[in-house]
Amino acid sequence: MENKQVVIPSFGEPEVLTIQSSPMPEAKPGEVVVRVAFAGVNPIDVKTRAGLGWAAAQNKDNLPWALGYDIAGSVYQCGEGTQKFDVGDKVAGFIGFPLQGGGYSQYISVPEAVLSRVPEAVTLEAAAALPLAGQTAIQALDKVSVQEGQRVLILAGAGGVGHIAVQLAVAAKAEVFTTCSERNLDYLATLGAHAINYEFAPVSERVEEADALVDLVGGDAALDALKCLKDGAKVVTVPTLSAELICEKAKLLGFEATGMLVDPNPEQLDAMLYLVSIGLLKTEIYQVYPMEQVVDAHKQMETGRTRGKILLDMQC
Ligand SMILES: NC(=O)c1ccc[n+]([C@@H]2O[C@H](COP(=O)([O-])OP(=O)(O)OC[C@H]3O[C@@H](n4cnc5c(N)ncnc54)[C@H](OP(=O)(O)O)[C@@H]3O)[C@@H](O)[C@H]2O)c1
């Protein structure tokens, strides 16, 4: 049997992405082989493909390398000693992070402990949208310990991380302000946030006295957003590139500030899958691209303007 994978034989433009045929994986003890239905595409995939960041640095002598950390599919084979799943069960997971990757594969063997069961009521598309972005959203909100009644500002509420963060903060009964372009204003209002058009005026002219900032944009937008905060506010800045600069500035202004690196946590994925199954959390899928169109998927991701998530259909 064939196991097609999307790999990078070298770093570069989206066109370096190549489909290769690899041997079928075998489940080692404690592992299950997942037949991947959908793989999520994340900004880190694009960055690594381009040769930027430490996942690229660590894998530079390991090419061709299969990208991808988000998978949803079904259990194809169970290794010795596995107990959690049977063949055919629907599963999803945040796998191989940060150095192994491999999510852009039709079949992959992973420890069963890293996988979550996908409830009947949840589609595999929705499940594939959640792992990396959803866990980033939860962990970012935890860093600023969002409480009921607080005013929380989330930059880039329409993105993969943002649309989950907005919904979770609204569910925690915070008053949520979020930035987006004009075309996403209605969408974010329907999620329960005060949506602010960053193209119209800087957010600092529209929001004041916020208790917490979840920065998903970085750079100048984040520096401007610091002006929206009240004394003692908490800041988490998620894009790694500008994190040091933003934290330094935030601390000078007297705020508690931190960067973060998402840490895979299957219990958090379990919780989000449950919320989706009862209709309390909705994933937004911008587009599902057949695996063969992975170049277009990366080009779309690179626009930085995707609403929600992009997925690859690994079986068509
Ligand atoms: N440190 C970590 O562990 C970690 C984990 C996950 C993600 N990240 C980083 O966090 C960032 C967000 O990730 P993501 O997956 O959510 O990205 P994404 O899905 O690509 O975000 C796209 C969204 O950003 C919005 N946007 C673009 N420029 C904006 C601006 N100036 N102000 C407000 N919104 C803007 C766009 O909305 P409009 O079209 O309306 O502008 C679009 O919906 C990325 O930099 C990513 O690399 C870091």
Side-chain angles (χ1 to χ4, degrees), residues 11-312:
F11 298 122
E13 297 297 313
E15 286 72 16
V16 300
L17 292 160
T18 305
I19 295 178
Q20 80 174 20
S21 227
S22 305
M24 276 296 285
E26 275 288 321
K28 297 198 189 83
E31 293 187 346
V32 297
V33 173
V34 179
R35 179 177 191 267
V36 180
F38 300 100
V41 177
N42 288 290
I44 188 175
D45 303 346
V46 166
K47 209 161 97 175
T48 306
R49 186 215 71 228
L52 306 170
W54 46 271
Q58 295 289 325
N59 279 295
K60 67 181 183 347
D61 300 322
N62 198 17
L63 305 179
W65 188 66
L67 294 166
Y69 301 109
D70 287 342
I71 59 166
S74 53
V75 172
Y76 178 77
Q77 184 191 70
C78 293
E80 205 184 297
T82 54
Q83 294 172 345
K84 209 168 149 189
F85 301 110
D86 294 318
V87 169
D89 285 351
K90 288 204 294 174
V91 291
F94 179 11
I95 58 132
F97 186 78
L99 296 180
Q100 273 173 290
Y104 294 6
S105 301
Q106 289 187 312
Y107 295 87
I108 185 162
S109 189
V110 293
E112 68 167 356
V114 307
L115 296 173
S116 296
R117 185 179 299 279
V118 178
E120 245 348 280
V122 179
T123 64
L124 288 176
E125 286 95 329
L130 283 171
L132 191 156
Q135 288 175 51
T136 304
I138 292 182
Q139 291 168 30
L141 292 171
D142 281 352
K143 294 259 184 215
V144 292
S145 47
V146 170
Q147 310 287 331
E148 179 170 351
Q150 284 192 332
R151 291 160 67 84
V152 179
L153 172 59
I154 299 174
L155 303 185
V161 179
H163 82 294
I164 305 292
V166 164
Q167 293 177 76
L168 295 175
V170 168
K173 300 201 169 73
E175 185 174 10
V176 180
F177 299 83
T178 191
T179 54
C180 62
S181 61
E182 183 167 1
R183 66 207 163 101
N184 285 315
L185 288 171
D186 287 350
Y187 166 62
L188 287 167
T190 63
L191 297 185
H194 302 287
I196 294 157
N197 182 350
Y198 66 82
E199 295 170 318
F200 182 70
V203 69
S204 58
E205 292 177 16
R206 309 282 300 282
V207 177
E208 53 186 17
E209 295 292 299
D211 299 277
L213 169 64
V214 176
D215 164 34
L216 299 168
V217 177
D220 290 344
L223 292 174
D224 174 61
L226 295 176
K227 298 180 194 150
C228 304
L229 304 179
K230 72 182 206 192
D231 289 350
K234 292 184 178 172
V235 175
V236 61
T237 178
V238 180
T240 44
L241 203 63
S242 57
E244 209 179 313
L245 169 76
I246 312 293
C247 286
E248 206 171 287
K249 186 70 201 286
K251 285 175 186 164
L252 276 176
L253 293 169
F255 306 127
E256 245 180 68
T258 180
M260 66 168 272
L261 181 65
V262 61
D263 186 19
N265 180 328
E267 284 82 35
Q268 290 177 343
L269 182 55
D270 291 343
M272 284 186 288
L273 288 165
Y274 174 70
L275 291 177
V276 174
S277 76
I278 58 171
L280 282 183
L281 180 65
K282 290 187 175 62
T283 55
E284 177 74 16
I285 313 284
Y286 176 81
Q287 197 167 334
V288 181
Y289 292 85
M291 176 177 44
E292 282 75 15
Q293 290 173 25
V294 62
V295 172
D296 294 335
H298 270 226
K299 284 182 176 167
Q300 173 57 36
M301 185 96 252
E302 280 182 342
T303 65
R305 307 303 299 276
T306 303
R307 180 195 287 180
K309 294 294 301 177
I310 293 172
L311 305 181
L312 299 176

